Amino acid sequence: ENKTWTDDVKKNYEGSIKWVGINPIKITAQPKNAFGTIGSIVKTSVSATGDDLTYEWYVKDPGKTSFTLSSTKTATYKYEMEATKNERQVYCVIKDKHGNRVTSDTVICAIPASITKQPTNVSVAMGSNAAATITATGNDLTYKWYYKDVTMSDFKYTSTFKGDTYKTEMTEARDGRQIYCEIIDKYGNKVKSKTITLRSKVTITDQPSDVSVKAGSNAIATVKATGNDLTYKWYFKDSTMSTFAYTSTFKGDTYKVEMNTSRNGRQIYCEIID
């Protein structure tokens, strides 16, 4: 208080008076959690109003017991993500020219959920286990698997599988099943895998057997197989031939030919493709 500024002085003062107020520091936008893969630049910012503001960012990495002052002096803090700097905590102290200061919220800079190896299509024999695995990185990951059979119009969540592997026995009802996985980290970041298909692979369930018939009768050989959209290719070799030859005459699971002298001793086999 200026004691010379008496009522008489104020009464007889003929000059002008300018009242100067102090703008208080006000944070208008707090920093937010920031995410980035290893090698990328992660950044978070604070916005504030006040007189001649300065910024001091403090950081604490996992395993450290206290925060340390960083070299960043701007409203934006950024750094290159490394494995040892995953889940780094940061906050900002903002000061004005009058000596006032405010502290921002503390936020996290972390590696988000990320898929490093996608699941792939699976083909197994009926009755065998069809297993699909996904590999991902992130913090405290949760795995949610979804499936859709050929008779279903939409995907459905299954709580049966909670890890990185989906495994189910192949049956006729599950043949052609589509699946995908949604991965969520502790901060709510989500990443969805590609959709893959579980199918039964072509499997011969009943092999053809040798055939003996009299001349003029039909020699018939049949093969039984399971699989999706099967194609049958038959090959034969007579006793006068050095190699097998493909025949387009028979396209199904049965080979049938009339027995005669030239066909006596003929060898045949079938190639089945799904």
Side-chain angles (χ1 to χ4, degrees):
E1 181 182 356
N2 187 346
K3 296 184 181 300
T4 63
W5 193 249
T6 64
D7 288 340
D8 288 340
V9 171
K10 289 187 283 185
K11 181 178 179 181
N12 296 309
Y13 181 66
E14 295 180 353
S16 61
I17 299 175
K18 180 180 180 182
W19 296 100
V20 179
I22 296 176
N23 237 350
I25 305 174
K26 182 179 180 182
I27 294 178
T28 56
Q30 292 282 359
K32 297 180 179 179
N33 291 343
F35 304 94
T37 56
I38 291 177
S40 67
I41 300 299
V42 181
K43 59 184 179 180
T44 186
S45 299
V46 63
S47 296
T49 56
D51 297 323
D52 296 337
L53 300 181
T54 59
Y55 302 86
E56 294 178 343
W57 288 90
Y58 290 80
V59 305
K60 183 164 78 73
D61 287 328
K64 301 296 183 180
T65 58
S66 60
F67 283 85
T68 57
L69 177 64
S70 76
S71 60
T72 302
K73 302 298 182 184
T74 64
T76 297
Y77 175 82
K78 60 182 179 180
Y79 74 101
E80 182 177 335
M81 178 59 74
E82 300 175 13
T84 56
K85 298 173 182 176
N86 181 30
E87 295 194 288
R88 167 174 283 186
Q89 299 179 64
V90 301
Y91 69 85
C92 187
V93 174
I94 307 170
K95 300 177 181 178
D96 65 14
K97 68 178 183 180
H98 310 293
N100 301 306
R101 58 187 287 163
V102 293
T103 301
S104 77
D105 294 342
T106 300
V107 297
I108 300 291
C109 299
I111 299 173
S114 177
I115 295 173
T116 56
K117 187 177 181 181
Q118 293 279 1
T120 56
N121 292 335
V122 179
S123 294
V124 297
M126 284 288 183
S128 300
N129 282 328
T133 300
I134 187 170
T135 305
T137 58
N139 301 284
D140 299 337
L141 299 180
T142 299
Y143 298 82
K144 298 180 71 176
W145 289 93
Y146 294 81
Y147 73 98
K148 182 168 77 74
D149 290 331
V150 293
T151 57
M152 299 166 58
S153 58
D154 296 306
F155 281 87
K156 181 179 180 181
Y157 166 66
T158 172
S159 61
T160 303
F161 310 104
K162 300 181 183 298
D164 59 3
T165 299
Y166 182 101
K167 183 171 67 174
T168 188
E169 181 182 348
M170 178 55 66
T171 64
E172 288 187 11
R174 293 171 183 151
D175 193 10
R177 170 173 288 186
Q178 293 179 295
I179 63 171
Y180 71 84
C181 186
E182 182 181 70
I183 304 172
I184 309 167
D185 67 20
K186 66 190 287 187
Y187 304 107
N189 297 304
K190 297 180 181 180
V191 60
K192 177 183 173 182
S193 77
K194 70 176 186 180
T195 300
I196 65 167
T197 303
L198 310 181
R199 292 192 180 278
S200 64
K201 69 178 181 180
V202 56
T203 304
I204 295 176
T205 58
D206 191 6
Q207 291 280 1
S209 56
D210 292 342
V211 180
S212 296
V213 296
K214 64 182 180 179
S217 298
N218 284 327
I220 302 173
T222 300
V223 62
K224 296 298 181 184
T226 59
N228 298 282
D229 299 332
L230 300 181
T231 299
Y232 298 82
K233 298 179 70 174
W234 290 93
Y235 294 81
F236 73 98
K237 183 167 79 73
D238 290 332
S239 57
T240 58
M241 299 166 58
S242 59
T243 59
F244 281 85
Y246 166 65
T247 172
S248 60
T249 304
F250 311 104
K251 300 182 183 298
D253 60 2
T254 300
Y255 183 98
K256 182 172 68 172
V257 68
E258 182 181 341
M259 177 56 67
N260 57 32
T261 302
S262 65
R263 292 169 181 155
N264 187 31
R266 172 173 287 187
Q267 293 179 296
I268 62 170
Y269 72 85
C270 186
E271 182 181 73
I272 307 169
I273 308 166
D274 66 12

